[in-house]
Amino acid sequence: MNVILGIMLSFYVLWTVQGIPGNEGLPLLTPVGFFVSLAQSMAVGYLVSDLFPAYSWGEALARIMHAKGVFAHVIASTVLGFVMATCISFILMWVNNIQLSGIEGVLALWTMVYPMILVGAIVLVAAFLPPVKKLAAAISGFNPEDIPFKQDAEGDLAGRVA
């Protein structure tokens, strides 16, 4: 999922910033610029996904809302997309722009691209997470959904069954 989000984020941000009046001649949206942005995005995305269990938060929210099936998937995907899009895009805007434009420039650029990044991330997570999870399980041989859990009366996970 991190690769898919990184591709979307890298392309959209570079394309948008390239289109700002005065930036048309700058070498922003180039193959090298794209792959540097993708590498940064993947590094930050890996860190964010390790620090914040956003999908688990989304699943917990879906349980609280008594959501099932597709609706539960949409809720969990929305939470994951929101956390990943917000954290990755803001951190990368800060890293790449703080020295030249200060926090005002970081916030200006981030708020310019954030709405589309947020929508794109939520849509991509909702669409691609199920096949990506199956692919990861097939490649690694580990499927976390196969691990049995005990649930208490409210449906909260209480721990692994021995």
Side-chain angles (χ1 to χ4, degrees):
M1 220 37 258
N2 196 9
V3 173
I4 293 169
L5 292 176
I7 290 169
M8 181 271 300
L9 190 141
S10 297
F11 179 80
Y12 181 73
V13 169
L14 291 173
W15 177 73
T16 301
V17 174
Q18 184 78 60
I20 294 174
N23 286 354
E24 299 91 338
L26 295 177
L28 299 174
L29 185 55
T30 64
V32 170
F34 174 78
F35 285 110
V36 167
S37 179
L38 179 60
Q40 290 176 330
S41 175
M42 291 188 55
V44 172
Y46 181 80
L47 175 70
V48 168
S49 63
D50 262 5
L51 292 175
F52 304 111
Y55 190 71
S56 296
W57 294 344
E59 288 179 321
L61 179 60
R63 279 193 304 277
I64 290 168
M65 297 175 71
H66 304 289
K68 303 280 186 219
V70 173
F71 189 52
H73 172 69
V74 168
I75 291 170
S77 297
T78 299
V79 172
L80 178 59
F82 171 78
V83 170
M84 295 299 284
T86 302
C87 293
I88 295 170
S89 64
F90 184 78
I91 290 168
L92 289 178
M93 281 294 173
W94 185 82
V95 165
N96 290 311
N97 296 294
I98 192 70
Q99 285 185 306
L100 292 175
S101 57
I103 193 65
E104 298 85 5
V106 169
L107 291 173
L109 287 169
W110 183 64
T111 56
M112 179 176 66
V113 297
Y114 180 66
M116 285 302 295
I117 288 173
L118 179 61
V119 170
I122 292 169
V123 168
L124 288 174
V125 169
F128 287 100
L129 190 60
V132 166
K133 284 170 62 176
K134 287 179 185 172
L135 178 64
I139 291 171
S140 70
F142 172 72
N143 187 352
E145 294 178 7
D146 291 342
I147 298 172
F149 289 93
K150 291 189 283 183
Q151 294 185 347
D152 61 19
E154 290 81 36
D156 294 328
L157 298 177
R160 290 194 174 101
V161 173

